[in-house]
Amino acid sequence: MPAVGGFDKGNGKEYPGNLTPYVLVTCIVAAMGGLIFGYDIGISGGVTSMPSFLKKFFPSVYRKQQANESTNQYCQYDSETLTMFTSSLYLAALLSSLVASRVTRQFGRKLSMFFGGILFLAGALLNGFAKAIWMLIVGRLLLGFGIGFANQSVPLYLSEMAPYRFRGALNIGFQLSITVGILIANVLNYFFNKIHGGWGWRLSLGGAMVPALIITVGSMILPDTPNSIIERGRHEEAREKLRKVRGVDDVDEEFNDLVAASEASRQVEHPWKNLLQKKYRPHLTMAILIPFFQQFTGINVIMFYAPVLFNTIGFGSDASLMSAVITGIVNVVATMVSIYGVDKWGRRFLFLEGGVQMLICQAVVAACIGAKFGIDGNPGELPKWYAIVVVLFICIYVAGFAWSWGPLGWLVPSEIFPLEIRSAAQSVNVSVNMLFTFLVAQVFLNMLCHLKFGLFLFFAFFVLVMSFFIYFFLPETKGIPIEEMGRVWKTHWFWSRYVGEDDFVPGGNVEMHKGSNATKNV
């Protein structure tokens, strides 16, 4: 009997292949798609704590901040318009990810990345030159459309290009570039805030053009994945590409399994409707719950609003931006730990260790803020040691997230979906992620005002729930070829009741279809 939620590999296939320089370079370039997402997360919180930006676009927040009308620090930034500026992007990303699913499936992963870069570039230009609030919001919507396309295609691209033994590390390159984007944005915010004349925010927002250009140009020079070429019927080209990607001539077994999966995929006329079939129940559950839980770790509260949050708990504007830089550095370093360990220690170990770490830190931060700010939000004088303790535990919390739920929240869904539902299921994954990112961003400042320090306990509760979910329901996917992934559900104590022996049979009998859809042998 395997461990709860565990998986006994059995007699699985091991496709030959090496981590070639060709694959390494293409995966690094593709992973840069995460820069646009990360840069935006980092920039948003920074500019919304810059007095010159608030004065121009959100004068009511600026007046409250300057006049200190309320001694209640929890409610200093409570503004619906301000949160709409931040969160409108994620609503747009949700909508565009649904369109991106069809583009990714029919025209390949590259074109989705290209569209993402172009839309993000347009949004960055509009925001950099914004004169009125409507220009900011329209710019944010364009940025969101770009992120929806990039987040749909990049994780799929990385999972399909990487040899299965290195899939975890290469896929986490996407999360690493998100964290690098956040760090770069935090550093730029810190220096741009010092520019005399108060126009530094234009450079912060307009600077998004740089990561947009990287992913746009990158998408034009990247090769298509063998899976994507097979999906479009060009088999010989795909076989040659697979040889080049794997660095060996003997790719017949993997190629035949990819073709078999593609043939099964073609028989599926309605991948969205197909997702509701009983055998896809575990995939749909993961596509919904993993991104839902990822947002309810509370991480985006820290990352979006790190400067605002630190400002609220008593740091000055400059100090709060510097604190955000520190958490950004921790984020990058901890993600590198995940790259090192994900294919050694496994996904489940990192999920569970990260969950325990985040839970402890949230309880400590809630106690610290509660002890000083109480219910009325008036802390009086804040000693230096207190500020250091809060930043320290927030950093340990960020580290826990950055080597667990951060990268694995993108990696695990992208590697478990069979080809026939892959684009549609990834769309569900991105849409759920963006929906809850939007909701958390939209209500966070309001919740901070009303729940006060209890907000951290609110997220701690969800961290506890998600850790139990991972322990009982997520099988280990380390070291399993992506087209062989179906077997992890068949040996799982819970999911085996939904997935039968005839479902997801690799090497030819990929799908046993009921009714008119007969089994397709290759």
Side-chain angles (χ1 to χ4, degrees), residues 292-357:
F292 166 79
F293 283 139
Q294 189 190 46
Q295 294 316 308
F296 276 81
T297 57
I299 189 64
N300 277 352
V301 167
I302 300 291
M303 288 309 179
F304 283 152
Y305 297 109
V308 170
L309 191 67
F310 288 132
N311 216 338
T312 297
I313 57 177
F315 299 104
S317 179
D318 253 14
S320 66
L321 286 171
M322 181 46 77
S323 302
V325 170
I326 293 166
T327 54
I329 293 169
V330 170
N331 202 5
V332 171
V333 173
T335 304
M336 289 176 177
V337 172
S338 187
I339 287 176
Y340 171 79
V342 68
D343 291 317
K344 282 185 169 64
W345 308 323
R347 282 66 162 152
R348 281 167 52 81
F349 172 80
L350 287 173
F351 265 132
L352 295 171
E353 192 284 332
V356 171
Q357 192 168 320

Side-chain angles (χ1 to χ4, degrees), residues 450-479:
H450 291 92
L451 289 178
K452 305 174 174 59
F453 62 87
L455 181 62
F456 291 94
L457 297 177
F458 170 82
F459 287 120
F461 166 75
F462 279 99
V463 171
L464 185 65
V465 172
M466 66 186 74
S467 297
F468 277 112
F469 171 77
I470 293 297
Y471 183 77
F472 287 107
F473 297 108
L474 182 72
E476 183 56 72
T477 56
K478 178 186 79 169

